[in-house]
């Protein structure tokens, strides 16, 4: 007697297109011999795996290789190494681990603000607390209160470098893997080509130079942003809201993406039809996520006041927060909620330092470029704030309107790139390291359909080379010239870009790999300018009275290049959305009727 058949039916696996049959710019076919060859060096490294190799074979190898490059980068110096008295970003991150482990939470944003006072959102503080706890178990002297300032213990450096790498492998790396997988499924990209794109994204030079050489934890915030984007591609808007709040809660720079994310979520709630329950769900989960993020500080302020556990300054009415002092009506300083207001206002005041000025150092944005010919520091700070706000809103408006009216998943990277470039070029208090934010979504275009084609590869590669180049003055101060040269030239070599290869611009033209003459001219002019600048900076002393000539020139060229990137991302977003085709279709019949009447 035959056994009864099971009602369970195994799920059928989706088969990805074979890399040998579906190419999006990775394979060049000889028209005479019909033989295939890699289109650029990174493809050549994956060439043996093109015959339907499982991602579970290639993925571990990719993660090991990119991890090796990250750790090797960390063997060099870091920000503030042997540079007393303030040292640099390395000391700032270490100091935050010190203060969060020795002080009550109500004092974290008040303590000794002159020595690298905490000025990032709460999730950074919690992250510092966790890492400080772990490090204190290894060596308590690393984070001893007061006495550990400026410590340059070699083992401490190893620990701090390891925390960056491990944090990245818990956030940024898995988020990038998942995003590229969703993007490949959306665009019909094979596993083989998506592995190539993933490697290019993870080998992005600017990210490695800032986090693993200079020293920061930007990839944690960027990982949350990637998780948000992955959730949006998967249609999980509530999880996307949670992850984006986490990104904002880790670094306020995630605000560069906020208008595009908000516009997209608004679009999926009201286009093509209204979905009020989705809108309310997004609003509720966003408010709850922010509440959970700030809850420990709220509870800490209340507990500290009522139990006399070192309450923060201002809760007794002696030194009110600047934001509290600016409120036009009176507040009862003896009320139960006053300590909470002081705590939250101090956090906001530290996170958004409007008093610092329009920009610091020489950063490649609009204001620094204008300041070169017309000094802006003569104007009142409040007027400059309003000016930068207006310019930023104008810059991000086209992308926000487009993604809200056409909330399509494939447009997300372009929308985030456009708004991030708008913020970087026009907003208030921009740092050179903020270039990582517009570069990330622009680099993610490599994982989309035709992302590895010559046109997209040329623009993405060019933007990343300029981004790394504008970081050179910062990296030079940290004695990081060698990692800069190795990682930037390696990226150019892997993607077949100048100065390592000019075949992308002068190779054989085909339907998928042709690059317009205007693009060639613009890119090659900037490549020539960057190479010439390096020669001048290395061998020619600036004239007397203008010691910052090369720095200013770097900022001006970079600002022009980033402006072109902004225009390209914005125009490509509008073009891909189909709004221009719709306009042409609506206009043509009108013109035809006019001619008929005539």
């Amino acid at each position: 007697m035959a056994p009864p058949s099971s009602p369970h039916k195994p799920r059928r696996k989706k088969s990805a297109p074979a890399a040998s049959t579906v190419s999006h710019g990775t394979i060049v076919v000889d028209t005479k011999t019909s033989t295939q060859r890699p289109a650029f060096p990174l493809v050549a490294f994956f060439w043996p795996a093109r015959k339907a190799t499982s991602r579970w074979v290639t993925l571990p190898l990719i993660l090991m290789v990119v991890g090796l490059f990250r750790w090797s980068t960390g063997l060099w110096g870091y920000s503030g190494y042997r540079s007393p008295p303030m040292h640099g970003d390395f000391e700032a991150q270490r100091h935050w681990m010190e203060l969060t482990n020795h002080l009550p939470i109500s004092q974290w944003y008040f303590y000794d603000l002159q020595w690298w006072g905490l000025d990032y959102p709460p999730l950074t503080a919690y992250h510092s607390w966790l890492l400080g706890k772990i490090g204190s178990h290894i060596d308590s002297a690393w984070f001893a209160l007061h006495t550990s300032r400026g410590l340059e213990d070699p083992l401490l450096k190893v620990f701090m470098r390891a925390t960056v790498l491990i944090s990245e492998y818990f956030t940024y790396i898995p988020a990038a893997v998942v995003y590229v997988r969703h993007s490949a499924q959306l665009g019909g990209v094979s596993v083989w080509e998506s592995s190539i794109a993933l490697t290019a994204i993870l080998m992005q030079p600017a990210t490695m130079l800032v986090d693993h050489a200079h020293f920061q934890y930007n990839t944690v915030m960027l990982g949350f942003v990637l998780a948000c984007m992955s959730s949006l591609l998967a249609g999980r808007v509530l999880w996307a809201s949670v992850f984006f709040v986490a990104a904002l809660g880790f670094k306020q720079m995630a605000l560069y993406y906020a208008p595009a994310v908000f516009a997209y979520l608004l679009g999926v709630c009201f286009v093509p039809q209204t979905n009020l329950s989705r809108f309310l769900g997004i609003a509720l989960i966003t408010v709850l996520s922010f509440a959970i993020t700030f809850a420990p500080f709220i509870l800490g302020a209340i507990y500290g006041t009522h139990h006399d556990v070192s309450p923060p300054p201002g809760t007794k009415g002696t030194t009110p927060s600047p934001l509290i002092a600016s409120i036009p009506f009176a507040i009862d300083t003896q009320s139960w909620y006053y300590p909470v207001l002081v705590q939250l206002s101090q956090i906001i005041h530290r996170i958004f330092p409007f008093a610092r000025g329009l920009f610091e150092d020489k950063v490649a944005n609009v204001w620094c470029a204008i300041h070169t010919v017309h000094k802006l520091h003569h104007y009142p700070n409040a007027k400059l704030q309003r000016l930068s706000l207006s310019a930023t809103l104008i810059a991000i408006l086209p992308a926000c309107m487009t993604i809200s009216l056409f909330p399509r998943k494939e447009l997300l990277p372009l929308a985030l790139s456009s708004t991030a470039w708008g913020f970087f070029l026009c907003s208030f208090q921009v740092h050179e390291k903020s270039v990582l934010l517009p570069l990330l979504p622009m680099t993610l275009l490599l994982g989309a359909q035709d992302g590895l084609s010559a046109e997209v590869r040329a623009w993405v590669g060019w933007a990343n080379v300029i981004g790394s180049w504008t970081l050179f003055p910062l990296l030079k101060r940290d004695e990081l010239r060698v990692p800069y040269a190795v990682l930037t030239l390696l990226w150019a070599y892997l993607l077949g870009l100048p100065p390592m290869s000019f075949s992308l611009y002068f190779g054989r033209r085909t339907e998928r790999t042709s690059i317009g003459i205007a693009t060639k001219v613009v890119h090659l002019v900037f490549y020539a300018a960057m190479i010439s600048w390096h020669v001048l900076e290395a061998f020619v002393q600036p004239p007397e009275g203008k010691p910052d000539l090369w720095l200013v020139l770097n900022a001006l060229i970079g600002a022009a290049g980033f402006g072109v990137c902004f225009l390209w991302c914005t125009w490509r977003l509008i073009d891909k959305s189909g709004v221009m085709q719709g306009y042409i279709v609506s206009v043509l019949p009108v013109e035809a009727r006019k001619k008929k009447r005539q």
Side-chain angles (χ1 to χ4, degrees), residues 445-458:
L445 294 173
L446 295 174
Q449 186 180 28
D450 290 332
L452 295 173
S453 63
E455 182 189 9
V456 177
R457 182 160 48 94

Side-chain angles (χ1 to χ4, degrees), residues 94-133:
R94 188 214 60 79
H95 177 61
W96 296 347
M97 299 177 195
E98 167 196 339
L99 70 89
T100 54
N101 274 270
H102 289 282
L103 300 175
I105 192 171
S106 58
Q107 286 192 3
W108 287 3
Y109 282 92
F110 292 88
Y111 176 73
D112 197 0
L113 301 181
Q114 300 305 313
W115 183 269
W116 299 113
L118 185 58
D119 57 1
Y120 279 175
L123 284 186
T124 289
Y126 306 147
H127 180 252
S128 299
W129 173 83
L130 176 61
L131 298 182
K133 284 291 184 186

Side-chain angles (χ1 to χ4, degrees), residues 55-241:
R55 66 166 53 91
W56 300 113
V57 175
T58 57
L59 182 59
L61 296 175
I62 294 171
L63 298 186
M64 285 189 287
V65 170
V66 299
L68 180 63
F69 275 101
R70 281 159 166 74
W71 188 255
S72 300
T73 303
L75 296 177
W76 291 82
Y78 49 79
S79 172
Y81 179 62
R82 294 180 179 175
S83 301
M86 293 301 293
H87 301 277
D89 282 340
F90 181 92
E91 170 59 20
Q93 302 288 343
R94 188 214 60 79
H95 177 61
W96 296 347
M97 299 177 195
E98 167 196 339
L99 70 89
T100 54
N101 274 270
H102 289 282
L103 300 175
I105 192 171
S106 58
Q107 286 192 3
W108 287 3
Y109 282 92
F110 292 88
Y111 176 73
D112 197 0
L113 301 181
Q114 300 305 313
W115 183 269
W116 299 113
L118 185 58
D119 57 1
Y120 279 175
L123 284 186
T124 289
Y126 306 147
H127 180 252
S128 299
W129 173 83
L130 176 61
L131 298 182
K133 284 291 184 186
I134 297 171
S136 295
H137 284 290
I138 299 174
D139 190 340
S140 60
W142 291 346
F143 307 108
L145 193 62
H146 303 302
T147 60
S148 61
R149 291 186 177 184
L151 188 64
E152 294 183 340
D153 187 337
L155 290 180
L156 172 62
K157 175 187 174 182
V158 174
F159 171 78
M160 297 289 282
R161 292 294 197 192
T163 60
V164 176
L165 188 65
I166 294 171
S167 298
E168 184 171 350
Y169 268 76
F170 270 103
T171 53
Y172 182 78
I173 300 292
V177 172
V178 175
Y179 176 84
V180 170
R181 183 179 180 184
H182 284 314
S183 181
Q185 292 173 349
L186 183 66
V189 179
S190 68
V191 172
W192 180 65
E193 288 185 327
S194 66
S195 298
I196 296 170
L198 176 64
T199 305
I201 292 168
L202 296 181
M203 288 298 294
Q204 187 185 23
T207 303
M208 287 195 286
L209 288 168
V210 172
D211 274 23
H212 297 276
H214 176 79
F215 195 90
Q216 281 194 339
Y217 293 94
N218 292 293
T219 47
V220 178
M221 177 268 292
L222 295 176
F224 287 133
V225 173
L226 277 172
C228 168
M229 296 178 69
S230 299
S231 300
L232 292 176
L233 293 188
R236 302 186 181 97
V237 293
L238 298 183
W239 275 111
S241 303

Side-chain angles (χ1 to χ4, degrees), residues 387-404:
L387 179 63
S388 67
L389 176 62
S390 302
T392 304
L393 291 176
I394 293 171
I396 67 176
L397 187 61
C400 291
M401 289 184 62
T402 303
I403 198 64
S404 62

Side-chain angles (χ1 to χ4, degrees), residues 296-374:
F297 287 95
I298 296 173
L299 297 175
I302 296 173
Y303 181 85
T305 301
H306 289 280
H307 293 79
D308 243 357
V309 183
S310 300
T315 55
K316 299 300 182 183
T318 54
T319 313
S321 168
L323 292 181
I324 291 289
S326 64
I327 296 177
F329 52 86
I331 300 177
D332 184 6
T333 59
Q334 302 303 318
S335 62
W336 66 269
Y337 59 82
Y338 183 69
V340 176
L341 289 179
V342 171
Q343 184 69 245
L344 294 180
S345 65
Q346 178 69 3
I347 293 174
I348 295 172
H349 174 68
R350 292 294 300 162
I351 292 174
F352 300 106
F354 290 111
R356 292 184 183 175
L358 189 59
F359 60 87
E360 293 184 29
D361 295 329
K362 304 294 187 296
V363 59
N365 75 346
V366 169
W367 308 121
C368 190
I370 294 176
H371 186 76
T372 304
V373 295
H374 182 74

Side-chain angles (χ1 to χ4, degrees), residues 283-585:
L284 178 62
I285 201 69
T286 301
V287 172
L288 286 176
S289 299
F290 274 115
I292 293 172
T293 301
F294 285 88
F297 287 95
I298 296 173
L299 297 175
I302 296 173
Y303 181 85
T305 301
H306 289 280
H307 293 79
D308 243 357
V309 183
S310 300
T315 55
K316 299 300 182 183
T318 54
T319 313
S321 168
L323 292 181
I324 291 289
S326 64
I327 296 177
F329 52 86
I331 300 177
D332 184 6
T333 59
Q334 302 303 318
S335 62
W336 66 269
Y337 59 82
Y338 183 69
V340 176
L341 289 179
V342 171
Q343 184 69 245
L344 294 180
S345 65
Q346 178 69 3
I347 293 174
I348 295 172
H349 174 68
R350 292 294 300 162
I351 292 174
F352 300 106
F354 290 111
R356 292 184 183 175
L358 189 59
F359 60 87
E360 293 184 29
D361 295 329
K362 304 294 187 296
V363 59
N365 75 346
V366 169
W367 308 121
C368 190
I370 294 176
H371 186 76
T372 304
V373 295
H374 182 74
K375 303 308 176 185
L376 296 173
H377 62 269
H378 297 304
Y379 294 94
N381 203 34
K383 188 173 183 178
L384 294 175
Q385 290 176 15
R386 291 193 295 270
L387 179 63
S388 67
L389 176 62
S390 302
T392 304
L393 291 176
I394 293 171
I396 67 176
L397 187 61
C400 291
M401 289 184 62
T402 303
I403 198 64
S404 62
L405 295 174
F406 303 93
R408 300 206 305 267
K409 298 174 181 178
E410 66 271 16
L411 300 180
L412 269 172
L414 287 168
L416 267 67
S417 298
S418 178
T419 57
W421 280 124
F423 266 90
F424 182 85
L425 288 168
C426 302
S427 65
F428 197 85
Q429 261 295 310
V430 174
H431 293 266
E432 62 269 68
K433 292 164 286 188
S434 302
V435 75
L436 299 182
L437 282 92
L439 285 179
L440 171 65
M442 193 171 179
T443 308
L444 294 179
L445 294 173
L446 295 174
Q449 186 180 28
D450 290 332
L452 295 173
S453 63
E455 182 189 9
V456 177
R457 182 160 48 94
W459 278 100
V460 171
W462 179 73
N464 274 278
V465 171
I466 293 181
S468 297
W469 178 75
T470 57
L471 291 171
F472 177 78
L474 172 72
L475 300 170
K476 179 185 175 182
R477 290 198 299 267
D478 299 334
E479 298 295 335
L480 296 171
R481 297 181 188 85
V482 173
Y484 159 79
V486 170
L487 293 177
T488 305
L489 293 178
L490 176 63
W491 164 269
Y493 165 74
L494 291 175
L495 294 186
L497 303 169
M500 304 306 291
S501 172
F502 289 87
S503 61
L504 186 63
Y505 296 94
F506 299 109
R508 187 176 300 173
R509 294 169 61 92
T510 65
E511 289 183 2
R512 283 188 175 270
T513 60
S514 61
I515 299 177
I517 185 65
T519 298
K520 289 182 179 180
V521 171
V522 170
H523 287 192
L524 292 175
V525 165
F526 273 90
Y527 279 122
M530 288 186 283
I531 295 171
S532 302
W533 182 90
H534 270 301
V535 173
L536 292 173
E537 190 273 337
F539 299 106
V540 179
Q541 289 293 327
E544 284 188 36
K546 295 183 179 179
D548 295 334
L549 176 63
W550 305 136
L551 296 179
V552 172
L553 192 59
N554 180 283
L556 290 175
I557 296 172
F562 294 151
V564 174
C565 291
F566 164 72
L567 293 175
W568 181 81
C569 290
T570 305
W571 172 251
R572 190 173 178 85
L573 170 66
I574 295 172
D575 182 52
K576 291 287 184 181
S577 70
V579 64
M580 296 303 297
Q581 289 87 339
Y583 173 77
I584 292 172
V585 169

